[in-house]
Amino acid sequence: MNKKLTFFLIGLLITVLVAIGARQIFANKHRETLTADQIENKIEKKYPGEVKSIRFSEESGEDLYIVELQNQTGSYEIKADAYSGEVVQLTQVKEKAAKPTTDQAAKGNEQAGPKTKQGIISLDKAKKIALSKVKGRFDSIDLEEEEGTLIYELEVETDKNQEYTIRVNAYTGEVLSVSWED
């Protein structure tokens, strides 16, 4: 009798574990993805510019929306999680050349600093500024708005596996802060 109870409990435990495992494996298949319009709204709220295209993609088992965004500084490819809308990756595809302002033209084409007529410094310029403060490789870069000011937040990992966050004013190129995780 005791053996029967033991086998029954083991069988029940195995059944429960298999059911939990199957539920975890197929959980994403039952979650509803956001619509392209919802993704577009989230991207436009977070980043300045115009969404040119949105397409759904499955990369490495992840459901993503690939968004092409164009603004005054160039074209960007944004990969956003299809379920939460969180930006997974932001890549500048093409940088626009800055046109001189009338003040610059009047000064005989002198450089007027990192701020362009379009408003913000390029992604590449922000990367160079960050790397001048911390040597390493980029993990991610985000463009965020704080109190009406656009801020590049760049995450850099050093060779010693220490992660730094460098915040750069997107209009002036000024380094606002450098912080790291212990």
Side-chain angles (χ1 to χ4, degrees):
M1 186 79 159
N2 215 1
K3 277 187 174 182
K4 286 183 180 182
L5 181 60
T6 303
F7 282 123
F8 174 75
L9 290 176
I10 290 173
L12 182 63
L13 180 62
I14 290 172
T15 304
V16 168
L17 290 175
V18 168
I20 290 172
R23 181 180 171 149
Q24 290 296 333
I25 290 170
F26 296 107
N28 281 347
K29 300 299 180 193
H30 298 301
R31 288 188 345 185
E32 289 197 27
T33 61
L34 297 173
T35 66
D37 287 339
Q38 290 171 317
I39 293 292
E40 182 175 358
N41 288 335
K42 284 181 176 277
I43 297 296
E44 287 179 339
K45 284 180 184 174
K46 190 168 185 174
Y47 300 103
E50 180 183 349
V51 172
K52 293 294 187 179
S53 69
I54 299 177
R55 64 183 167 83
F56 184 83
S57 176
E58 189 175 321
E59 294 181 8
S60 304
E62 291 185 75
D63 293 334
L64 302 171
Y65 278 101
I66 311 299
V67 180
E68 180 188 341
L69 179 82
Q70 187 164 2
N71 65 20
Q72 301 90 341
T73 61
S75 297
Y76 298 85
E77 179 184 84
I78 300 170
K79 293 182 180 180
D81 181 86
Y83 301 101
S84 67
E86 285 294 313
V87 173
V88 176
Q89 183 179 6
L90 170 72
T91 307
Q92 187 171 23
V93 178
K94 185 176 180 182
E95 184 177 345
K96 276 191 180 176
K99 296 178 184 175
T101 63
T102 52
D103 290 342
Q104 288 173 315
K107 291 180 182 178
N109 243 351
E110 293 176 21
Q111 289 288 339
K115 186 175 176 181
T116 65
K117 179 180 178 188
Q118 290 80 18
I120 64 173
I121 63 173
S122 71
L123 188 62
D124 287 336
K125 179 77 172 172
K127 285 180 180 180
K128 287 177 187 173
I129 292 168
L131 287 176
S132 74
K133 298 294 179 188
V134 176
K135 302 296 181 222
R137 61 191 171 280
F138 284 97
D139 277 346
S140 68
I141 184 168
D142 286 319
L143 182 61
E144 300 174 350
E145 185 177 348
E146 290 182 12
E147 298 177 14
T149 300
L150 290 174
I151 308 286
Y152 282 112
E153 190 169 282
L154 304 102
E155 291 184 6
V156 176
E157 188 173 327
T158 67
D159 292 336
K160 296 179 181 178
N161 290 328
Q162 193 166 20
E163 190 170 296
Y164 285 80
T165 301
I166 299 100
R167 297 178 72 243
V168 177
N169 183 310
Y171 296 108
T172 66
E174 175 189 1
V175 175
L176 301 174
S177 67
V178 177
S179 59
W180 60 92
E181 293 181 18
D182 290 327

